[in-house]
Amino acid sequence: MQQKKNISVLLGAAFLMATSAVGPGFLTQTTHFTQALAASFGFVILMSIIIDIGAQMNIWRIMAVAEKRAQDIANEVLPGLGYFLAALIVAGGLAFNIGNIAGAGLGTNVLFGISPEMGALLSGIVAIAIFIVREAGKIMDRFAQLMGFVMIALTLYVMFTAKPPIGEAVVKTFVPDTIDILAIVTLVGGTVGGYITFAGGHRLLDAGIKGKEALPEVTRSSISGIGIASIMRIFLFLAALGIVAQGLTLDPSNPPASVFKLAAGNIGYKIFGVVMWAAAITSVVGAAYTSVSFIRTFHPILEKYHKWIIIGFIAISTLVFVLVGRPVKILILVGSLNGLILPISLGVMLVAAYRTKIVGDYKHPLWMTIFGVIIVIAMAYMGVYSLINGIPKLFE
């Protein structure tokens, strides 16, 4: 029985992380870059997958060995750093959740013709319902798996109807015409940046899958998460490539919707509604769960009422969207700050991996450390770059 429970949790954690990564922004970015880079975007996806695995495998393994959540490890490495990390994650989680709820509203609007605000309200209620149940963790895992399968299956169908030039895509993935560094960083940020990598890592800790003996499972689960998110990205890339290769233009106000519509007509547009809703609602759930998992260890009261705090978190982001709309400036600012979370958190983990006080007699593989350090340097450089470029936009 234990074995079966473990497999379901390991899959659940992988899907929670993957569906947290696949949100409205993921759909828009993937379509946007396919339009800009055509088949060469395959190379960007390949590079980002390698970096994603390097980052996520490091973080999940070190958390599992330390048997502590990221914020507590950060506080042990440098007192106060955990609070700073938690503040960044919670601020990012709240702001992105407003965007995620907006995406859910857009999906329901496409499907049923109701206003995005009404759709967002109903979607918020669905997300809250998951956490009201006693077995919230189990329901969340199952929900993430179901929505993940739905998104991948529907996007696969649209990909086939778009008839992409697969041969060209394969060639350009290894020999691209152009290499877009910014695109690589954007994808990495969108897959394992911010709160996303911790969605699965903290879920495993919650379910008691930790310690040195759990490392093989944790490593597999961390790679599966990236795999699931990347399959979705590749299908979407090929669908968009099929449309772009036919010389059709995408609607700039909603690029992903026009890919689905141009590929499969009105049915395609409805499929987009389902995919958009599934992508958005799972990101709402993942962001709320993970953001709260960053503060619940700071005080026994937070731990005791963590489910209600998650519900409040979802309620606040839903109400802000319904009453105020999307705070564009806040989203730009948080997006810029989000780029700093991965280098800080991964950097902290790599330092922690060599502190016996935190990981005991665990020996972290040298190649993982080197891989991790390269990612930290590259992402820190790009994170600062996006901050410097993003901040002036606030005052325009």
Side-chain angles (χ1 to χ4, degrees):
M1 195 64 212
Q2 188 56 33
Q3 196 56 37
K4 190 157 177 258
K5 174 181 173 256
N6 273 9
I7 287 173
S8 119
V9 171
L10 291 166
L11 250 183
F15 269 97
L16 184 67
M17 174 264 139
T19 56
S20 291
V22 181
F26 178 103
L27 302 180
T28 308
Q29 273 165 5
T30 305
T31 319
H32 163 75
F33 284 126
T34 306
Q35 213 176 348
L37 305 170
S40 298
F41 182 50
F43 174 78
V44 170
I45 294 178
L46 178 67
M47 287 296 106
S48 70
I49 290 173
I50 295 169
I51 297 171
D52 291 340
I53 289 176
Q56 180 143 299
M57 206 160 53
N58 266 309
I59 291 174
W60 286 25
R61 284 177 64 100
I62 296 163
M63 285 200 303
V65 175
E67 302 191 13
K68 287 190 179 77
R69 294 198 181 93
Q71 67 274 21
D72 301 330
I73 295 176
N75 272 338
E76 282 192 35
V77 168
L78 183 71
L81 188 58
Y83 297 114
F84 177 65
L85 194 58
L88 277 181
I89 298 256
V90 170
L94 256 179
F96 286 124
N97 243 358
I98 298 167
N100 292 331
I101 275 285
L106 182 70
T108 49
N109 171 259
V110 168
L111 281 172
F112 309 114
I114 55 179
S115 76
E117 288 74 18
M118 187 68 207
L121 205 57
L122 295 172
S123 304
I125 293 169
V126 170
I128 286 172
I130 291 175
F131 292 103
I132 287 180
V133 190
R134 205 169 58 90
E135 293 276 348
K138 248 195 205 135
I139 306 284
M140 183 171 69
D141 288 349
R142 285 277 180 272
F143 185 70
Q145 286 167 336
L146 177 70
M147 291 293 127
F149 281 122
V150 166
M151 287 191 281
I152 289 171
L154 290 176
T155 310
L156 182 63
Y157 166 75
V158 172
M159 181 197 96
F160 278 118
T161 55
K163 303 190 179 58
I166 291 182
E168 185 194 358
V170 171
V171 172
K172 296 279 168 74
T173 295
F174 298 99
V175 194
D177 298 333
T178 48
I179 295 177
D180 187 334
I181 302 287
L182 190 67
I184 296 175
V185 175
T186 308
L187 290 206
V188 172
T191 316
V192 290
Y195 71 89
I196 299 168
T197 182
F198 300 103
H202 282 182
R203 175 72 190 109
L204 290 179
L205 287 176
D206 260 358
I209 295 182
K210 54 190 178 189
K212 243 158 112 172
E213 57 289 342
L215 277 180
E217 298 175 312
V218 170
T219 306
R220 268 205 311 276
S221 184
S222 76
I223 296 172
S224 311
I226 303 292
I228 297 159
S230 304
I231 287 170
M232 181 66 191
R233 184 145 357 237
I234 291 163
F235 288 169
L236 189 57
F237 154 61
L238 289 171
L241 184 63
I243 300 302
V244 173
Q246 291 171 40
L248 300 167
T249 36
L250 304 179
D251 169 11
S253 69
N254 195 349
S258 50
V259 168
F260 282 73
K261 199 169 189 172
L262 291 166
N266 214 10
I267 295 176
Y269 187 56
K270 293 292 182 193
I271 288 180
F272 165 74
V274 177
V275 170
M276 184 61 155
W277 188 82
I281 197 78
T282 48
S283 297
V284 168
V285 169
Y289 166 79
T290 312
S291 298
V292 174
S293 79
F294 264 85
I295 55 171
R296 60 188 271 198
T297 55
F298 293 152
H299 196 282
I301 288 181
L302 297 175
E303 181 60 57
K304 189 176 169 193
Y305 295 110
H306 73 269
K307 265 166 61 167
W308 294 104
I309 301 171
I310 294 174
I311 289 167
F313 199 89
I314 298 171
I316 290 168
S317 14
T318 307
L319 290 174
V320 169
F321 172 67
V322 172
L323 301 173
V324 185
R326 296 189 59 173
V328 177
K329 299 241 155 132
I330 293 180
L331 284 171
I332 293 175
L333 174 67
V334 173
S336 313
L337 285 172
N338 208 42
L340 299 175
I341 294 177
L342 183 66
I344 293 173
S345 54
L346 180 53
V348 164
M349 293 296 164
L350 293 170
V351 172
Y354 290 92
R355 297 263 178 102
T356 46
K357 193 175 98 220
I358 301 175
V359 296
D361 57 1
Y362 167 71
K363 295 274 175 285
H364 198 57
L366 182 64
W367 68 268
M368 278 194 204
T369 303
I370 294 169
F371 199 10
V373 167
I374 294 169
I375 296 169
V376 169
I377 293 168
M379 293 304 288
Y381 172 76
M382 290 317 296
V384 170
Y385 176 84
S386 81
L387 248 190
I388 293 168
N389 282 349
I391 299 298
K393 290 202 180 88
L394 295 175
F395 303 106
E396 279 168 12

